[in-house]
Amino acid sequence: MKTIAAYTLGCKVNQYDTEAMLESFERAGYVSVPFSDEADVYLVNTCTVTGTGDQKSLKTVRRVARTHPDCAIIVAGCLAQREAEEIAQMDNVRLVIGVQRRAEVVELLEQAVVDGKAYNAVAPLKGAGFENLFVSRHEGKTRATMKIQEGCDRYCSYCIIPSVRGPVRSMPMEDVRAEAKRLTDAGYREIVMTGIHLASYGRGTDETLIDAIRAVHDTPGVERVRLGSLEPMTVTEDFARALAALPGLARQFHLSMQSGSAGVLRRMHRRYTPEEYFAACGTLRRFMPDCAITTDVIAGFPGETEEEFRETMAFVEKVGFARIHVFPYSRRAGTVADRMDGQVPENIKRERAQKLIELGNKLETQYVSYMTGTVQRVLFEQPVGGGLAEGYTGQYVRVRAKAAPNSFEPVRIVRTEGTLAIGEPLAEDGR
């Protein structure tokens, strides 16, 4: 009996792709084992969004080859798409597959093993269609991720992703419905809809992102739908009104921001101003007053002055985010930003990132504290001992209460401990 182990770097889309490839191997008779175990095949799904992602990806491949000298290694994902020829020369690599042909992964690997050589199966991205991968379960989780969109054509000045993920393409609506049903049949109660540029779903077709959201939301058995990252200019009044009409939609919206400075946003080639971003937040809050807005912020973008950094800090506080993810700017060869003057020294990037992290922690603690006294529906996931479990509200606030794992329960938030909310089950009369 052959075994396979997988390791994923990067985003939720990569996690989805890994799961799909693992299921292909399992259907072919392979058994999945933990990545730390001995296996016949190791799959490394790589990330190239930052230089750190490159380094971690290559380090993982080298470590597997050194630790398991008789194995076959598959390298997939964004870095594989960029550096296929070089990766194919690495020890024990038998298949380099990039971001396409993943539905063929088993056949491609087995042919490469029979031929006794590394196979570079990376395909050109021009004209690529949506590759419909099959995912019916997500190991050890109570929520499932569904990738409904692939590719990006935004070409932000700091980002390499359009060149490694290719053009915008979307999962057909009938497949959206079918996958949602497969996931609910497998017992998942929350589905996270994601993509490389989710707001582009349906471009070139008669379908829209709202149509896809409704299709998943209305699938029998789906209790909660959560959205991946959205562009702020997607948030029109009609869009927000349509979302607010869906009772099972999680009230957490990750609006991509990157900077609160108008000058930095222009250099980033982002397609909105701070004022437009703030207006989008206001629109969401007008229709869903209890919603959580989260975001990403890049610290130390080329040319960022102290004044521009202060603008970002002030803007983050003005918006009042429920959570922020902070990244020091990372140079990527092949991007416009890599060639810009005014590259910020690493120590200044780290200092600015730390200040943003501290501000984000303060804002998250404040947001969680506002929930005290409210009743929230929580999808409990992990047991923590003593009959307690932890899970998340629709706003993605972590809650601990007396509950069974994989239960969806209303609880009253009685107090908070930093970013953790403590809840109590409701009595039978709902009090």
Side-chain angles (χ1 to χ4, degrees):
M1 186 176 295
K2 294 182 178 179
T3 53
I4 180 167
Y7 187 81
T8 307
L9 296 104
C11 63
K12 282 187 171 65
V13 173
N14 257 17
Q15 294 168 13
Y16 176 96
D17 294 340
T18 296
E19 193 59 58
M21 288 186 279
L22 276 179
E23 288 200 29
S24 292
F25 274 99
E26 290 169 0
R27 289 195 297 274
Y30 288 70
V31 174
S32 293
V33 299
F35 197 72
S36 57
D37 288 5
E38 191 72 33
D40 299 301
V41 180
Y42 290 87
L43 167 64
V44 180
N45 202 358
T46 62
C47 175
T48 193
V49 72
T50 66
T52 301
D54 285 0
Q55 294 164 14
K56 287 182 177 178
S57 297
L58 295 174
K59 184 178 180 180
T60 301
V61 175
R62 293 190 187 102
R63 185 176 69 248
V64 170
R66 184 175 63 252
T67 309
H68 308 284
D70 297 325
C71 75
I73 301 175
I74 304 166
V75 185
C78 293
L79 181 60
Q81 188 73 31
R82 285 185 72 202
E83 306 289 350
E85 292 185 7
E86 293 83 350
I87 291 172
Q89 303 302 315
M90 296 176 71
D91 291 345
N92 292 67
V93 171
R94 291 292 174 265
L95 176 63
V96 186
I97 202 168
V99 300
Q100 293 186 86
R101 304 189 70 184
R102 291 159 299 194
E104 307 169 58
V105 63
V106 178
E107 294 83 358
L108 290 170
L109 173 71
E110 293 185 342
Q111 188 60 54
V113 170
V114 168
D115 293 344
K117 61 182 182 181
Y119 186 14
N120 178 357
V122 171
L125 292 169
K126 186 176 182 179
F130 186 85
E131 183 178 31
N132 194 10
L133 302 172
F134 180 90
V135 175
S136 62
R137 57 101 171 99
H138 295 248
E139 195 70 40
K141 295 182 180 178
T142 52
R143 73 171 62 88
T145 298
M146 177 192 295
K147 184 181 79 172
I148 66 167
Q149 185 276 335
E150 178 67 271
C152 181
D153 62 358
R154 300 286 94 177
Y155 290 96
C156 299
S157 64
Y158 54 83
C159 188
I160 199 69
I161 293 304
S163 67
V164 295
R165 282 285 181 172
V168 169
R169 55 256 198 224
S170 304
M171 177 185 277
M173 190 61 67
E174 61 269 24
D175 295 330
V176 171
R177 294 189 180 94
E179 183 153 343
K181 184 177 186 306
R182 281 198 298 270
L183 291 169
T184 56
D185 287 348
Y188 293 97
R189 305 168 81 175
E190 178 177 315
I191 294 179
V192 183
M193 300 177 67
T194 190
I196 295 298
H197 191 259
L198 187 61
S200 295
Y201 178 86
R203 185 183 301 169
T205 75
D206 294 331
E207 311 290 355
T208 68
L209 178 57
I210 284 292
D211 294 329
I213 296 168
R214 286 196 186 107
V216 175
H217 179 276
D218 293 344
T219 301
V222 173
E223 296 198 52
R224 182 187 284 165
V225 178
R226 193 178 299 276
L227 302 182
S229 181
L230 295 171
E231 287 289 319
M233 300 311 289
T234 306
V235 182
T236 63
E237 290 219 356
D238 287 346
F239 184 80
R241 184 182 292 109
L243 294 181
L246 302 175
L249 183 77
R251 270 35 177 180
Q252 179 230 342
F253 303 102
H254 192 84
L255 290 191
S256 179
M257 186 184 83
Q258 312 307 349
S259 176
S261 165
V264 174
L265 288 174
R266 283 194 297 271
R267 295 197 297 279
M268 287 179 167
H269 297 174
R270 301 294 288 176
R271 304 184 186 194
Y272 49 84
T273 65
E275 293 75 18
E276 289 169 329
Y277 187 99
F278 192 73
C281 296
T283 299
L284 287 171
R285 286 167 170 159
R286 189 163 70 254
F287 285 95
M288 292 163 282
D290 63 338
C291 73
I293 299 176
T294 62
T295 199
D296 302 312
V297 187
I298 295 174
F301 187 76
E304 184 183 66
T305 65
E306 284 293 338
E307 176 59 29
E308 288 173 330
F309 175 67
R310 285 194 292 270
E311 289 171 0
T312 292
M313 289 282 287
F315 189 75
V316 167
E317 192 140 29
K318 176 183 175 182
V319 172
F321 291 105
R323 182 183 294 112
I324 63 173
H325 301 290
V326 179
F327 304 91
Y329 168 70
S330 177
R331 297 180 73 164
R332 306 304 297 126
T335 63
V336 172
D338 181 55
R339 302 188 295 274
M340 286 182 176
D341 295 331
Q343 298 289 331
V344 177
E346 291 297 322
N347 64 315
I348 294 178
K349 286 193 283 189
R350 288 194 297 271
E351 289 172 6
R352 291 178 182 175
Q354 185 58 40
K355 289 178 181 177
L356 282 163
I357 289 169
E358 290 170 1
L359 175 57
N361 290 341
K362 184 187 83 169
L363 293 174
E364 184 176 358
T365 300
Q366 287 177 354
Y367 182 83
V368 174
S369 71
Y370 297 152
M371 288 200 159
T372 303
T374 67
V375 174
Q376 303 291 333
R377 292 198 74 210
V378 180
L379 176 56
F380 287 97
E381 301 178 30
Q382 298 291 333
V384 293
L388 302 174
E390 289 185 358
Y392 290 87
T393 70
Q395 298 92 334
Y396 210 67
V397 169
R398 185 164 59 101
V399 176
R400 180 182 297 166
K402 187 174 182 179
N406 202 23
S407 64
F408 212 168
E409 306 290 345
V411 300
R412 186 178 304 281
I413 307 302
V414 294
R415 69 180 191 279
T416 60
E417 298 175 0
T419 60
L420 173 67
I422 307 300
E424 290 183 351
L426 295 186
E428 290 186 4
D429 60 3
R431 292 185 291 179

